[in-house]
Amino acid sequence: MVTVKPEGACTLDRFAIDTLRKLGMPVQDVPRQEQRMAHMVRDQLRLMGAKVLHIDEAHHITQPANSIQIKKILNTFKCLMIDDEWPIGLILSGIPELRQVLEGERQVARRLAFVPLAGLTVASDARKVGKIVQQLAGLAKLGFSTVQTDVLAPRIIHAGGYQLGCAIERIHEAIRVRLKRNLSRLSTDTPSPDPLTLDDFATAYARKTGVEAQDNPFLAHDWEATDPFRVLNGPQRTDDKGDRPSPRSTKKGG
């Protein structure tokens, strides 16, 4: 399997070039006919022995495209999937609006399976996130107690906006803070490193967002009332209706 991640607003030509480069074929330009582009990508995938192409953030290709360009994009995807000599399996991941584009082309949609990824919830995912903290702390050779896990896991989920990837980023950032603190305290005696703590998460979150203690989910008593999407200390973020969005409403978000 080969993963390609289109950056920003990506045209079909740009995507083809990025894919070929990822497959070890540096190119500057590609034919504009979508069928020929599909064949070039297919031939290079075959040469590399790859049978699955994962396009991460696939909406970066469809978002800037008009209806004619979207048709070309979907035709290219279809050509890869139905090739007689070397059919390519496609995995397209992205935001929910990608589904709407794919549903508009039945010949492509019927060849795909659609898998929604729901957001995290404290009730069902706190234990899993706690295990991830312990595993990552272990890889960094840092201690982390079960008591801390039970306290921190719900706050990590909230601080990550109830999204798994963002929650794991919060863990990585806290581990980085602790490792730097331990490194600065090293002496010739090489004392055992201090474990990962709540303060490390709070410090990392403050550095990431610039918010004060009352808006920091690792410091605030009513951490569920904090907005995990707020940054700096400016005015409260509002939605289109002028109301402050409720962070709790994101718990079931996709």
Side-chain angles (χ1 to χ4, degrees):
M1 183 177 76
V2 175
T3 296
V4 177
K5 184 176 182 179
E7 298 294 339
C10 181
T11 63
L12 183 57
D13 291 357
R14 179 75 256 171
F15 165 71
I17 291 174
D18 290 345
T19 302
L20 292 170
R21 286 179 175 173
K22 188 69 178 285
L23 293 167
M25 181 181 176
V27 293
Q28 297 300 323
D29 198 7
V30 294
R32 292 192 176 275
Q33 298 91 337
E34 63 272 14
Q35 193 170 20
R36 290 187 62 192
M37 285 192 291
H39 288 168
M40 288 181 67
V41 171
R42 186 281 318 272
D43 290 344
Q44 194 66 13
L45 285 165
R46 182 178 184 178
L47 182 64
M48 301 299 294
K51 295 185 176 181
V52 178
L53 176 61
H54 170 215
I55 306 173
D56 193 16
E57 307 287 0
H59 54 275
H60 286 172
I61 306 174
T62 58
Q63 276 181 336
N66 58 34
S67 59
I68 296 175
Q69 292 167 338
I70 287 177
K71 181 71 173 179
K72 292 182 178 180
I73 292 167
L74 297 180
N75 281 340
T76 300
F77 291 166
K78 185 176 67 174
C79 287
L80 290 172
M81 290 188 286
I82 67 175
D83 188 88
D84 292 334
E85 296 180 5
W86 193 261
I88 300 298
L90 290 183
I91 300 176
L92 309 175
S93 54
I95 61 177
E97 75 177 49
L98 178 64
R99 174 185 57 83
Q100 300 172 2
V101 174
L102 296 171
E103 283 180 340
E105 177 51 60
R106 293 185 180 180
Q107 292 187 30
V108 175
R110 68 182 178 85
R111 290 180 168 88
L112 299 174
F114 294 86
V115 183
L117 298 178
L120 300 176
T121 66
V122 171
S124 19
D125 298 305
R127 181 174 297 181
K128 297 175 186 176
V129 171
K131 288 182 179 179
I132 293 174
V133 179
Q134 291 178 325
Q135 290 171 350
L136 293 178
L139 289 173
K141 295 180 171 50
L142 296 173
F144 195 69
S145 70
T146 303
V147 175
Q148 286 179 309
T149 302
D150 294 339
V151 172
L152 267 171
R155 293 173 182 251
I156 293 171
I157 291 173
H158 180 78
Y162 298 88
Q163 300 300 306
L164 179 60
C166 292
I168 293 176
E169 284 182 10
R170 301 293 88 80
I171 301 170
H172 284 169
E173 292 157 3
I175 289 175
R176 188 177 297 112
V177 167
R178 173 46 54 190
L179 289 176
K180 288 183 177 179
R181 285 176 170 174
N182 287 345
L183 184 62
S184 66
R185 295 177 57 190
L186 283 178
S187 66
T188 54
D189 297 330
T190 314
S192 59
D194 289 336
L196 192 62
T197 67
L198 174 66
D199 184 55
D200 297 322
F201 283 88
T203 299
Y205 190 85
R207 291 177 180 175
K208 177 77 173 180
T209 64
V211 299
E212 295 181 348
Q214 67 268 21
D215 295 308
N216 190 320
F218 298 105
L219 294 176
H221 177 71
D222 189 10
W223 55 268
E224 287 185 289
T226 61
D227 183 352
F229 303 105
R230 187 181 183 193
V231 295
L232 300 177
N233 296 311
Q236 296 287 355
R237 184 170 59 89
T238 60
D239 60 17
D240 294 338
K241 297 180 180 179
D243 299 323
R244 183 185 179 187
S246 171
R248 298 180 184 179
S249 66
T250 66
K251 292 184 181 181
K252 296 182 180 180

